Amino acid sequence: MNIGIRAHDIEADSLEELVNEKGLTSVQLALSKSLKNMNTDFGALSPGFARYIGNAFRDREIQIAVLGCYINMIHPDRTERNKAMDRFKEHIRFARDFGCSIVGTETGNINAKMGYTEENFKEPPFFDVVESVRELVAEAEKFGVIVGIEGGVNHPVHSPKVMKRLLDCVNSNNLQVIFDPVNYITIDNYQNQEDIFHEAFHLFGDRIVILHAKDFIIDNNRVQTVPVGKGLLNYHALFEMLKAKKPFIQVLMEATKEPHIEDSIHYLRGLYKRSTI
């Protein structure tokens, strides 16, 4: 099983601590969240910077699977939106120097502060997302890099159907999907979560390049994120689909921190091993 983790879910004071010995094969690296003692502001990146960071991971045989650059691509303030877009494009330009081919983001929010609102689900926010994604993908096509888009109920791309619509609107192989099934879970559908898995794989399974792994419980009639293996997500059903359709895909744990990391790794590996095709 090709398993990794979001790097900023590991508490570390230095790059050397960050590249750890937990038997993981990959990380999702959000520069500003993981490299707090380094200048990662817009304009700081260079091939030398990227190679230095990339080599530190490669020396431990850990791949940077995704450069996380989570922006509000439809920020209501156009100046702030443009700054966010420029930062993402900078990540695209130097991704290959990090040894990475995917730069990932969610699809933003109509409000400056992220949070659930059904206003995101209307047509104008969707077409704003299409406009921004087209712009990012056009940049990615120049550098041979993939824009990885992650959907979820807190964003305009709030369902597998809307993700498929986005893929059809942009129509570029440099646009691929980071699939986090928990992001689509609501109080209304959690008991039929396998339907979400099947719908996603049916609509865009060929475009899924990364799986995010986290878990959830229902608390006070709300969906609450918990560490992998501590909740209700049906990983057995999900892994059966992965084994059949996406062998060796990178599975990146998210929202799983100490003291749960090693238990979650063992949980995922055990379930994956027992899953059948």
Side-chain angles (χ1 to χ4, degrees), residues 73-116:
M73 64 173 65
I74 59 168
H75 197 291
D77 183 323
R78 178 63 72 166
T79 299
E80 293 302 315
R81 186 189 304 189
N82 290 340
K83 287 180 181 178
M85 295 285 285
D86 286 344
R87 179 169 177 80
F88 195 98
K89 290 176 185 177
E90 183 181 51
H91 280 59
I92 287 173
R93 289 196 293 275
F94 298 108
R96 291 290 184 179
D97 294 307
F98 283 95
C100 178
S101 62
I102 303 170
V103 184
T105 185
E106 293 164 333
T107 54
N109 196 291
I110 63 163
N111 299 315
K113 185 177 180 180
M114 296 290 183
Y116 180 84

Side-chain angles (χ1 to χ4, degrees), residues 16 21 33 101 155 172 187 193 229 260:
E16 288 71 23
E21 296 290 349
K33 294 181 179 181
S101 62
H155 308 282
S172 170
I187 192 66
Q193 56 184 278
H260 304 290

Side-chain angles (χ1 to χ4, degrees), residues 67-258:
L67 275 181
C69 186
Y70 284 71
I71 62 170
N72 190 350
M73 64 173 65
I74 59 168
H75 197 291
D77 183 323
R78 178 63 72 166
T79 299
E80 293 302 315
R81 186 189 304 189
N82 290 340
K83 287 180 181 178
M85 295 285 285
D86 286 344
R87 179 169 177 80
F88 195 98
K89 290 176 185 177
E90 183 181 51
H91 280 59
I92 287 173
R93 289 196 293 275
F94 298 108
R96 291 290 184 179
D97 294 307
F98 283 95
C100 178
S101 62
I102 303 170
V103 184
T105 185
E106 293 164 333
T107 54
N109 196 291
I110 63 163
N111 299 315
K113 185 177 180 180
M114 296 290 183
Y116 180 84
T117 171
E118 293 187 3
E119 292 299 308
N120 276 330
F121 305 164
K122 295 181 178 180
E123 287 291 273
F126 173 77
F127 285 110
D128 281 348
V129 168
V130 171
E131 178 186 352
S132 291
V133 171
R134 278 180 177 154
E135 185 176 334
L136 297 177
V137 168
E139 186 78 359
E141 288 173 339
K142 300 173 187 175
F143 292 89
V145 170
I146 290 168
V147 174
I149 291 294
E150 181 177 353
V153 297
N154 289 336
H155 308 282
V157 178
H158 57 92
S159 71
K161 287 186 177 66
V162 180
M163 177 66 80
K164 179 63 166 70
R165 186 182 177 198
L166 174 64
L167 294 170
D168 289 343
C169 285
V170 177
N171 191 27
S172 170
N173 286 329
N174 290 75
L175 175 62
Q176 302 288 319
V177 177
I178 298 172
F179 180 48
D180 186 332
V182 173
N183 284 2
Y184 296 109
I185 297 291
T186 68
I187 192 66
D188 297 318
N189 67 18
Y190 78 94
Q191 297 186 68
N192 301 307
Q193 56 184 278
E194 293 84 0
D195 293 342
I196 298 172
F197 307 162
H198 285 287
E199 183 179 34
F201 275 87
H202 171 69
L203 292 175
F204 52 81
D206 60 319
R207 306 288 287 277
I208 296 173
V209 290
I210 295 288
L211 178 79
H212 274 174
K214 59 177 179 259
D215 220 324
F216 76 96
I217 59 173
I218 303 299
D219 184 35
N220 291 324
N221 210 38
R222 298 183 65 181
V223 177
Q224 179 178 324
T225 300
V226 296
V228 171
K230 306 296 183 182
L232 302 174
L233 194 78
N234 188 347
Y235 274 103
H236 179 74
L238 181 61
F239 283 171
E240 287 191 339
M241 278 185 252
L242 281 185
K243 272 193 169 180
K245 299 178 182 296
K246 307 297 294 191
F248 305 109
I249 192 172
Q250 284 161 321
V251 178
L252 301 178
M253 293 191 301
E254 178 178 318
T256 298
K257 300 184 178 182
E258 297 292 14

Side-chain angles (χ1 to χ4, degrees), residues 1 3 235-236 239 243 263-276:
M1 185 181 186
I3 186 168
Y235 274 103
H236 179 74
F239 283 171
K243 272 193 169 180
D263 286 346
S264 294
I265 292 170
H266 292 313
Y267 172 80
L268 290 176
R269 284 182 173 151
L271 269 182
Y272 191 83
K273 187 175 181 180
R274 293 193 297 274
S275 298
T276 57

